[in-house]
């Protein structure tokens, strides 16, 4: 089944979801594999790369910066990269268009900050609204110059430093993107670049930098948290990377199976990096029938199999310190909370306001339209679950946000009346094949009927 996603999709109440599936590769790991493969000397072979629009934007940018990026010869085959060497990025002749992808923009800003070249980056209507000062502020300290639109937003011009100086930086927000931007900038700076994070965030950059041959030390920081130090000018060498399935994509079939009665779904090869598994902790606390079997043969990143069966859920309090380990999973957790019995409170989630959309506002509006009572605070959300399916019966605006689209489609699979999303196109940024995978499990997803009188 292939449906034109840009016209929107409708999810209807579905029978039990059943089957064994693999979700596409992890987006965070895929971005980093392309960037480091594009720098490392020799051949890098990437198996399981996410071929979503966001990662393809990173691949196109790395090619524009001089890396040799070779897509697979046949669908499903490995990507091959031959890198330019640390410090070897070439000046791009054209503007780098990073589409919807904040990770591409922020991590590439790090690489560009210590490359003695000029580059301009832009993005779509969502990305050009997102804050970049959180990276330009630390990256300027390496000696780079940035010109941005007002409010520190894209488009952004970057003049990389010709004589970079390493920095020590305490992260003011718990952000793996900012941490990674600083570490990537440190690659082409002499001496030691240190990032201190008070709350642990995903450590894919640290793991992968080490795998490619960089020296990284992680030690407890004096005032709490962790100090991560990278030694500049490493010889990065090409290698083989196996990208695990994306737990942030697995989250959608996982919650769908948890809320559709009688479901029994197995998700194989899912990345289970402990800094990404906050949703699993939440679902366990909610009483979901969820088992996890680690794969003992996993090497660079932990992975395993998840099995979930449908059943009743109860409300929980999600502690603020859990936020970094499930930052992209709050929208779909809010859907689970809408079906749970009782009041779920999620605190310390202000970062959701600066994702692909303001996810507190877009989720609150969509949930209210689907008959769920919610309360919104500056950095918290309260969801009053009634222990049975909400009414549904709404069309939700997805605001160029893939995870909003997928969350409401999941809600529609178990709501009383169908739920539509106005634009399912953004799903292709992170989860190509979402509709087909869900339909294969038994989900009733179809193209949204055109509005009466709408132009065709
Ligand atoms: C990501 C980090 C997170 C996450 C994003 C991917 C990464 O962003 O939301 O989808 O790959 O480093 P923040 O660092 O802004 O929290």
């Amino acid at each position: 089944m292939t449906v034109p996603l840009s016209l929107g999709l409708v999810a209807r109440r579905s029978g039990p979801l059943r089957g064994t599936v693999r979700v596409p590769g992890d987006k965070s790991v895929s971005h980093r594999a392309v960037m480091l493969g594009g720098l490392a000397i020799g051949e890098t072979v990437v198996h399981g790369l996410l071929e979503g629009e966001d990662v393809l934007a990173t691949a196109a940018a790395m090619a524009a910066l001089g890396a040799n990026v070779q897509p697979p010869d046949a669908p499903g085959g490995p990507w091959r990269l031959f890198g330019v060497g640390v410090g070897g990025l070439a000046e791009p002749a054209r503007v780098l268009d990073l589409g919807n992808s904040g990770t591409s923009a922020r991590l590439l800003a790090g690489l560009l900050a210590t490359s003695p070249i000029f580059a301009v980056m832009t993005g779509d209507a969502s990305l050009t609204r997102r804050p970049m000062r959180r990276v330009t502020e630390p990256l300027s300290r390496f000696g780079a110059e940035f010109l941005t639109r007002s409010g520190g937003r894209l488009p952004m011009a970057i003049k990389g430093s010709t004589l970079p100086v390493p920095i020590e930086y305490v992260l003011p927000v718990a952000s793996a993107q900012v941490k990674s931007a600083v570490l990537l900038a440190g690659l082409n700076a002499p001496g030691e670049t240190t990032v201190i994070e008070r709350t642990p965030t995903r450590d894919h950059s640290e793991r992968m930098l080490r795998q490619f041959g960089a020296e990284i030390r992680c030690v407890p920081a004096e005032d709490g948290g962790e100090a991560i130090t990278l030694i500049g000018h490493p010889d990065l060498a090409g290698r083989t990377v196996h990208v695990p399935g994306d737990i942030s994509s697995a989250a959608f079939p996982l919650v769908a199976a948890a809320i559709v009665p009688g479901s029994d779904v197995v998700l194989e090869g899912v990345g289970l990096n402990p800094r990404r598994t906050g949703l699993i902790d939440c679902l366990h606390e909610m009483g979901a029938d969820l088992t996890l079997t680690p794969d003992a043969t996993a090497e660079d990143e932990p992975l395993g199999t998840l099995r979930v069966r449908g059943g009743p859920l109860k409300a929980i309090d999600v502690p603020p310190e859990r936020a970094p380990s499930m930052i992209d999973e709050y929208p779909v957790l809010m859907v689970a909370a809408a079906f749970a019995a009782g009041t779920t409170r999620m605190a310390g989630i202000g970062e959701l306001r600066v994702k692909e959309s303001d996810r507190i506002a877009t989720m609150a509006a969509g949930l209210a339209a689907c008959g769920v009572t919610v309360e919104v605070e500056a950095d918290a959300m309260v969801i009053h679950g009634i222990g049975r399916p909400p009414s549904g019966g709404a069309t939700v605006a997805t605001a160029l946000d893939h995870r909003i689209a997928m969350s409401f489609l999941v809600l529609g699979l178990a709501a009383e009346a169908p739920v539509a999303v106005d634009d399912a196109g953004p799903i292709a940024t992170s989860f190509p094949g979402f509709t087909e995978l869900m339909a294969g499990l038994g989900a009733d997803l179809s193209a949204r009927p055109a509005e009466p009188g709408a132009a065709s």
Side-chain angles (χ1 to χ4, degrees):
M1 180 192 58
T2 307
V3 278
L5 299 179
S6 59
L7 297 178
L9 287 175
V10 188
R12 292 186 169 77
R13 193 163 202 160
S14 302
L17 304 179
R18 284 170 194 255
T20 298
V21 286
R22 276 178 184 263
V23 294
D26 187 274
K27 184 155 73 70
S28 294
V29 174
S30 295
H31 282 297
R32 288 153 173 85
V34 172
M35 289 184 201
L36 294 187
L39 283 186
I41 298 293
E43 187 183 34
T44 290
V45 182
V46 188
H47 297 273
L49 188 83
L50 169 64
E51 294 179 355
E53 287 167 8
D54 281 12
V55 175
L56 297 180
T58 290
M62 288 307 291
L65 292 164
N68 180 343
V69 182
Q70 300 180 1
D73 299 328
W79 284 64
R80 291 175 198 280
L81 298 104
F82 297 85
V84 294
V86 169
L89 292 177
E91 192 160 87
R94 277 180 287 278
V95 171
L96 306 173
D97 186 348
L98 304 169
N100 191 254
S101 178
T103 311
S104 308
R106 298 203 177 108
L107 271 58
L108 284 168
L111 285 182
L112 292 166
T114 52
S115 298
I117 56 175
F118 172 79
V120 179
M121 57 172 70
T122 191
D124 71 5
S126 157
L127 185 56
T128 53
R129 276 196 294 267
R130 298 181 66 185
M132 291 297 145
R133 205 170 279 144
R134 54 180 56 200
V135 286
T136 59
E137 204 277 313
L139 295 176
S140 303
R141 302 189 195 184
F142 284 93
E145 291 173 50
F146 295 90
L147 273 179
T148 64
R149 204 159 64 84
S150 54
R153 285 156 220 270
L154 300 186
M156 172 162 86
I158 306 167
K159 195 166 178 300
S161 176
T162 42
L163 278 177
V165 283
I167 68 164
E168 180 176 307
Y169 188 67
V170 182
L171 289 181
V173 276
S175 165
Q177 290 182 353
V178 179
K179 170 175 69 175
S180 302
V182 172
L183 291 175
L184 291 174
L187 285 173
N188 198 34
E192 300 192 347
T193 290
T194 299
V195 184
I196 296 164
E197 63 177 4
R198 301 286 180 220
T199 321
T201 64
R202 63 190 71 193
D203 60 357
H204 305 301
S205 297
E206 295 92 303
R207 285 171 185 259
M208 201 180 287
L209 279 162
R210 262 198 209 107
Q211 288 148 21
F212 275 84
E215 192 182 332
I216 297 232
R217 285 194 314 267
C218 298
V219 296
E222 265 176 29
D223 298 323
E226 188 171 57
I228 304 139
T229 298
L230 170 102
I231 314 297
H233 293 150
D235 290 324
L236 299 184
R239 69 184 311 275
T240 299
V241 179
H242 292 274
V243 180
D246 198 330
I247 189 165
S248 298
S249 296
F252 299 101
L254 199 62
V255 169
I259 61 174
V260 173
S263 296
D264 187 353
V265 167
V266 175
L267 297 152
E268 290 178 337
V270 181
L272 295 174
N273 182 313
R275 295 190 182 192
R276 295 280 300 279
T277 49
L279 176 71
I280 293 176
D281 298 336
C282 290
L283 289 173
H284 275 143
E285 290 169 8
M286 293 173 93
D289 183 353
L290 170 62
T291 55
L292 183 159
T293 314
D295 179 343
T297 63
E299 282 175 27
D300 303 334
E301 288 277 351
L303 74 156
T305 298
L306 299 172
R307 178 177 186 185
V308 62
R309 281 173 275 204
L313 298 174
K314 57 178 191 286
I316 55 167
D317 268 339
V318 187
E321 61 276 10
R322 195 175 287 168
S325 69
M326 54 172 295
I327 194 68
D328 293 334
E329 283 66 79
Y330 280 98
V332 79
L333 179 69
M334 291 175 194
V335 170
F339 286 80
T343 299
T344 291
R345 186 179 163 81
M346 303 169 184
I349 57 172
E351 273 294 295
L352 295 194
R353 295 210 179 267
V354 291
K355 295 295 177 188
E356 286 81 333
S357 68
D358 173 345
R359 286 182 175 161
I360 293 184
T362 44
M363 284 305 299
L367 287 170
C370 289
V372 183
T373 304
V374 296
E375 288 167 56
V376 171
E377 293 163 24
D379 72 342
M381 185 118 154
V382 177
I383 294 174
H384 296 277
I386 46 172
R388 58 181 161 78
S391 58
T395 297
V396 174
T398 57
L400 283 180
D401 190 331
H402 53 140
R403 300 200 203 281
I404 300 300
M406 290 186 277
S407 295
F408 281 102
L409 291 171
V410 166
L411 188 145
L413 299 179
E416 282 172 10
V419 174
V421 297
D422 64 343
D423 178 10
I427 294 174
T429 61
S430 69
F431 198 158
F434 167 80
T435 317
E436 293 76 8
L437 181 141
M438 294 300 294
L441 293 173
D444 183 346
L445 295 176
S446 54
R448 185 165 73 108
E451 301 278 340
S456 59

